[in-house]
Amino acid sequence: MSSSSTSIMDGRIPVFVFPVQLDFYYDDQTTHKRVVTIYNPYEFDVTFKVLCNNPKKYAVVEPEGRISGQKCVDIVIRHVAVSPQSVETTDKFRIHMFEEGTSEILGKKDVLAILHPGLPEAESASLGNKQRKSQPGFPLLKSDGDSPPRDVPVPNYIACFAAVVCILALFLPTSCENDRSQLLQDYPWLHLSLNQKLVFAYVLGLVTMAILRT
């Protein structure tokens, strides 16, 4: 107990926060709001406080609060001063964690906030592809020779084989039939029971759905 209290009072307990960097993009309003998760993996309850070096540019929902032991909380951070002058500037959030009921800092964690120009890379690439497809000056490329296009789906050979087996099994005679086929009379193991045929019919339905989806 003494060693535990000593480590707490030394302020050496790590603070677990995700993400550790907030990326805002000037032309994407959906990125102007970010969610930060603060974890408390310890057995005791803690309190936290969120500080910022430039509080006029951000709005923090519930910048102070309590986290029970082995729980986490989400806080919302909004960039409310998006402007060309703020692009490529880096701000810093500092999260202080306290032992509940005291003002002694257990640990702290810095989270960077950066306003980037334009759009996120993935979104910019997708928009560029759409624009190139819509422009008449970019003709469609043809494949060399008779090679198939890359987007052609590959048939599911296993499902096709299973479907053929099920169909053949359904055509076999049933063991409860009185007039058994003379052709297969010498092969009693080919006479299936009604339950076996029901199983084959059920499997046939499943593989048929798999083939149609492909």
Side-chain angles (χ1 to χ4, degrees):
M1 187 70 181
S2 60
S3 61
S4 175
S5 60
T6 302
S7 62
I8 292 176
M9 298 307 293
D10 288 342
R12 297 177 180 175
I13 289 182
V15 178
F16 298 93
V17 179
F18 180 84
V20 296
Q21 177 173 310
L22 304 178
D23 294 307
F24 303 93
Y25 290 87
Y26 182 78
D27 292 329
D28 189 356
Q29 295 185 357
T30 61
T31 66
H32 297 173
K33 181 181 71 173
R34 294 300 192 187
V35 177
V36 176
T37 304
I38 307 175
Y39 299 90
N40 177 21
Y42 308 107
E43 299 291 339
F44 50 87
D45 298 344
V46 298
T47 57
F48 69 91
K49 180 181 293 186
V50 181
L51 307 175
C52 182
N53 66 327
N54 202 341
K56 294 182 179 180
K57 293 172 57 177
Y58 303 93
V60 182
V61 180
E62 297 182 359
E64 301 181 27
R66 171 179 173 275
I67 311 176
S68 303
Q70 299 183 348
K71 301 291 183 180
C72 64
V73 296
D74 293 332
I75 59 175
V76 178
I77 298 178
R78 290 186 175 89
H79 200 310
V80 296
V82 177
S83 64
Q85 293 76 18
S86 301
V87 174
E88 297 292 0
T89 60
T90 302
D91 297 313
K92 182 183 296 184
F93 289 90
R94 175 162 294 179
I95 300 174
H96 283 172
M97 184 174 288
F98 308 87
E99 187 177 9
E100 188 179 19
T102 68
S103 59
E104 189 72 23
I105 297 178
L106 299 180
K108 60 184 178 180
K109 184 72 173 182
D110 290 340
V111 178
L112 299 180
I114 304 175
L115 179 61
H116 302 278
L119 298 169
E121 292 183 0
E123 187 172 350
S124 300
S126 62
L127 289 178
N129 293 333
K130 292 180 180 178
Q131 291 176 357
R132 286 194 294 270
K133 291 180 181 179
S134 62
Q135 293 177 357
F138 290 90
L140 295 177
L141 296 177
K142 297 181 179 179
S143 58
D144 296 334
D146 296 331
S147 59
R150 296 181 179 179
D151 295 333
V152 174
V154 178
N156 193 335
Y157 294 106
I158 298 178
C160 295
F161 177 75
V164 173
V165 172
C166 292
I167 293 173
L168 293 177
L170 293 176
F171 277 102
L172 292 175
T174 308
S175 58
C176 62
E177 293 179 353
N178 294 326
D179 51 342
R180 296 185 178 181
S181 175
Q182 297 295 330
L183 182 61
L184 300 178
Q185 190 173 6
D186 296 332
Y187 303 95
W189 54 274
L190 290 178
H191 294 260
L192 302 180
S193 65
L194 183 60
N195 292 333
Q196 289 175 331
K197 285 199 171 184
L198 290 176
V199 172
F200 278 111
Y202 177 74
V203 175
L204 179 61
L206 295 179
V207 296
T208 302
M209 293 178 59
I211 295 173
L212 293 178
R213 287 182 180 178
T214 306

